[in-house]
Amino acid sequence: MRLTASIVTYRTDLLELEKVLDLVARSCVEKVFVIDNARQKGVEDLCARFPGCVYIPSANRGYGAGHNRAIEKAMQEGARLHLVMNSDISFSPDSLALLAKYMEDNPDVGCLQPRIVNPHGELQYTVRRLPAPIDLIGRRFFPRSLMRGRLDDYELRNVDHSVEFNVPCHQGSFMFLRTDALRKVGLFDERFFLYGEDIDLTRRIHESYRTMYVPFVTVVHRHRQESYHSLRMLGIHCVNMVRYFNKWGWFRQK
């Protein structure tokens, strides 16, 4: 199986990081790479407490670039599956083994995402249709009442999330990846500093593999939605989505 994982940190809460590393240590992950984009005091010492945790200090070249460093090392060491995850994720330790078995049983699946909920147990609609600019603009700036039908369609709110389905857009907080798929389509596009890199990668994998949503595993994501609270993060989000649409086109595609 050979499952590895990576977490990119940037001024991350150390207690939050400790909790997720403890979960990973009790799972079937053989090695977890922590890429510290802030060279934050305390992160290296924390990582040293967990067997199989590899600390990588790094200049901040972005979310995807940080994970790429880990994925490259994982592939060199023979990993067949790799989990890209945030530090604000929690899950039961046996969840990753269930996902890995699904990937082993379905070699045509290049990437999957489980059911993701917030801390109150409410479903987060993290798998979606490919976006058009109006979907993202409307979701961010317009009252939902004006865009409800279109946004419900984009976010797949009318799709039955109790069954698995193949969908081309996965959020980057928890991406369970097949390394053979990454060898074929490439890693994260490092032109995206933050935001858009997850859509771009899933879309490229989707062209050659199934990219699945599976409901038999649930993980909890304490989603901060930083671009809703920071003008700087909003600016970064907008710039990177312009890069995405310049790459793929400015009209929605199926």
Side-chain angles (χ1 to χ4, degrees):
M1 177 175 59
R2 292 236 61 193
L3 171 63
T4 54
S6 55
I7 301 169
V8 170
T9 66
Y10 185 81
R11 300 176 182 173
T12 298
D13 180 89
L14 293 182
L15 180 58
E16 175 181 279
L17 181 60
E18 180 181 16
K19 288 179 178 178
V20 75
L21 288 177
D22 180 63
L23 289 174
V24 171
R26 292 188 282 121
S27 75
C28 60
V29 170
E30 295 185 21
K31 186 175 288 187
V32 56
F33 301 90
V34 175
I35 305 89
D36 180 8
N37 277 356
R39 298 176 183 260
Q40 179 182 348
K41 182 179 179 181
V43 174
E44 183 174 11
D45 291 341
L46 177 59
C47 291
R49 293 168 42 192
F50 293 92
C53 184
V54 178
Y55 173 75
I56 303 175
S58 178
N60 186 13
R61 296 188 295 115
Y63 182 83
H67 281 293
N68 282 350
R69 292 193 62 185
I71 295 169
E72 288 166 353
K73 291 180 180 294
M75 291 196 299
Q76 290 168 4
E77 296 180 14
R80 297 176 62 185
L81 303 170
H82 185 84
L83 171 60
V84 164
M85 61 185 300
N86 285 4
S87 61
D88 57 353
I89 288 285
S90 59
F91 50 87
S92 62
D94 63 342
S95 295
L96 303 190
L98 293 173
L99 296 176
K101 184 178 186 306
Y102 181 91
M103 293 287 275
E104 291 289 312
D105 291 344
N106 295 274
D108 62 332
V109 174
C111 177
L112 66 78
Q113 189 153 94
R115 181 174 179 267
I116 297 180
V117 301
N118 66 23
H120 302 292
E122 298 164 333
L123 180 67
Q124 294 182 3
Y125 292 91
T126 60
V127 292
R128 302 165 185 160
R129 298 188 188 278
L130 294 173
I134 189 59
D135 299 317
L136 303 183
I137 293 169
R139 189 169 181 265
R140 181 63 181 82
F141 296 106
F142 295 166
R144 189 170 186 97
S145 58
L146 295 180
M147 298 284 295
R148 185 175 304 279
R150 185 178 183 99
L151 292 182
D152 284 354
D153 180 60
Y154 164 57
E155 296 172 348
L156 300 175
R157 288 178 179 261
N158 299 319
V159 173
D160 183 359
H161 282 69
S162 69
V163 297
E164 66 180 52
F165 52 86
N166 186 18
V167 59
C169 178
H170 292 187
Q171 186 203 64
S173 60
F174 192 101
M175 300 176 75
F176 211 94
L177 299 159
R178 186 180 304 278
T179 55
D180 281 348
L182 297 174
R183 289 187 177 92
K184 180 172 183 176
V185 308
L187 306 184
F188 285 108
D189 186 335
E190 296 185 12
R191 289 175 293 181
F192 301 102
F193 180 80
L194 182 64
Y195 304 111
E197 71 288 308
D198 46 1
I199 308 172
D200 171 77
L201 180 58
T202 317
R203 183 172 185 167
R204 284 186 280 122
I205 296 173
H206 186 74
E207 291 179 339
S208 300
Y209 296 83
R210 289 192 296 154
T211 49
M212 298 298 294
Y213 162 83
V214 294
F216 59 83
V217 164
T218 298
V219 305
V220 178
H221 180 210
R222 294 176 294 280
H223 188 29
R224 297 186 183 88
Q225 295 186 307
E226 290 183 357
S227 68
Y228 283 76
H229 307 291
S230 163
L231 288 177
R232 176 177 175 272
M233 297 306 294
L234 174 60
I236 290 172
H237 195 167
C238 292
V239 166
N240 283 277
M241 292 316 301
V242 167
R243 289 174 179 157
Y244 170 83
F245 290 118
N246 282 342
K247 178 176 181 176
W248 288 102
W250 286 77
F251 298 94
R252 175 187 279 193
Q253 300 177 28
K254 298 295 184 183

